[in-house]
Amino acid sequence: MTTPRPVVLVTGGASGIGRAVAAALEPDWRVVVLDRAEVRPDGVCADVTDPGVGAAVGAALAALGVSRLDALVHCAGVAAFGGLAEMTPTEWQRVVRVNLEGTINLVQALSPTLADHGRVVLFSSGTAFKGPGGAAAYAASKAGVIGFARSICEELGERGITVNVVAPGLVVTPMSEIIASTEAANIASRAIKRAATTADLVEPVRFFLSPGASFVTGQTLVVDGGSIKH
C-alpha cells in the first residue's frame, strides 16, 4: 500500500523563491500553492492578509480530499525601499501589513489545520540583521517575523510542531529587482563570492521540513554566503 505524500502549503509559490521551493518539493510532497497571482487549478488564489485565507485554504484541501496540512512554507512578501523621510505612510504600512501582519494572520488561521508534529517555515531577510539605510520598513517587518516565530514555537511546540525561519541575503527575483543594482556590493561582502539563486534556499527549507529537524525550533538560518556571521 502506497503511503500518501504529506501535504505542504507554499505561499508566494507563483514566482521567485516560493516557486523554486514548490517545484523542488513536488516529488516528495503534495504541494498546494497559495499566491495572489493566478495559480494552477489545485492552488489557492488569495491574499495572506485576508481574514478569509484560512477558509480558502480549507476549501482547496477539501477539493483534494485532505483535511490537514503537514507543513507550511510561507515565502510570500513584498518589498519597498526608500529613505525614512521620503517613504509615505501608505508604502511602509503596506510592507508591514503584508510581511508581518500577513504572516501572523496566515499562521493564526492555519494553525488548527496543521497536523501535530507538523512544520512551519517562515521567511525573513538578512536585512533584519544588517539594517541597511533605506530599508527601515522592510527590515522592521522581517525582524518582526523572527520575533513572531520565536514566540509561537512555544505555543505550537505543545503539539510537536516546529517553527523556524530562513533569512536569505539578496536574491534577485521579481520582488527584489528594484535593488538589483546592489548585487555587486552584496557579493563583495560574502565569504562565498557569487550571486545567490533561488535554488540556494531549497535545501535549507527541506532540512527544516525533514524528520531530522524534529528537535529544531525557534531558529533563524541565514542563507547569504557568509555576509552575515552570527
Side-chain angles (χ1 to χ4, degrees):
M1 185 174 181
T2 304
T3 303
R5 287 180 297 165
V7 181
V8 58
L9 179 73
V10 179
T11 73
S15 66
I17 294 170
R19 184 175 183 177
V21 168
L25 294 179
E26 282 281 7
D28 303 310
W29 293 76
R30 193 168 186 180
V31 178
V32 178
V33 168
L34 182 151
D35 202 287
R36 287 184 63 190
E38 184 177 349
V39 295
R40 57 199 186 188
D42 60 349
V44 183
C45 187
D47 190 319
V48 297
T49 66
D50 189 335
V53 69
V57 172
L61 294 178
L64 294 174
V66 296
S67 60
R68 307 292 283 174
L69 274 175
D70 296 289
L72 165 65
V73 180
H74 178 37
C75 304
V78 297
F81 300 96
L84 181 63
E86 291 79 32
M87 181 168 279
T88 67
T90 299
E91 289 175 312
W92 65 255
Q93 286 167 2
R94 173 174 172 266
V95 171
V96 173
R97 176 160 173 73
V98 174
N99 294 350
L100 180 54
E101 294 179 24
T103 298
I104 297 170
N105 180 61
L106 182 74
V107 176
Q108 183 182 47
L110 296 183
S111 59
T113 307
L114 277 167
D116 289 353
H117 306 288
R119 301 283 187 270
V120 176
V121 182
L122 307 178
F123 268 74
S124 179
S125 168
T127 57
F129 298 93
K130 285 187 172 181
Y138 185 71
S141 70
K142 290 299 189 177
V145 170
I146 294 171
F148 175 67
R150 288 173 175 170
S151 181
I152 63 166
C153 78
E154 287 282 339
E155 298 180 46
L156 297 182
E158 295 176 1
R159 295 169 49 200
I161 297 170
T162 65
V163 183
N164 292 292
V165 181
V166 176
L170 174 65
V171 184
V172 178
T173 65
M175 188 186 82
S176 62
E177 281 180 346
I178 54 176
I179 56 168
S181 61
T182 68
E183 185 174 38
N186 273 277
I187 292 172
S189 73
R190 294 169 181 162
I192 300 173
K193 299 191 184 301
R194 66 164 174 82
T197 70
T198 55
D200 291 319
L201 286 306
V202 169
E203 293 306 320
V205 170
R206 206 192 300 273
F207 167 68
F208 282 139
L209 295 177
S210 73
S214 64
F215 203 51
V216 179
T217 193
Q219 304 305 308
T220 299
L221 178 61
V222 178
V223 183
D224 71 347
S227 178
I228 297 165
K229 305 173 184 70
H230 71 109

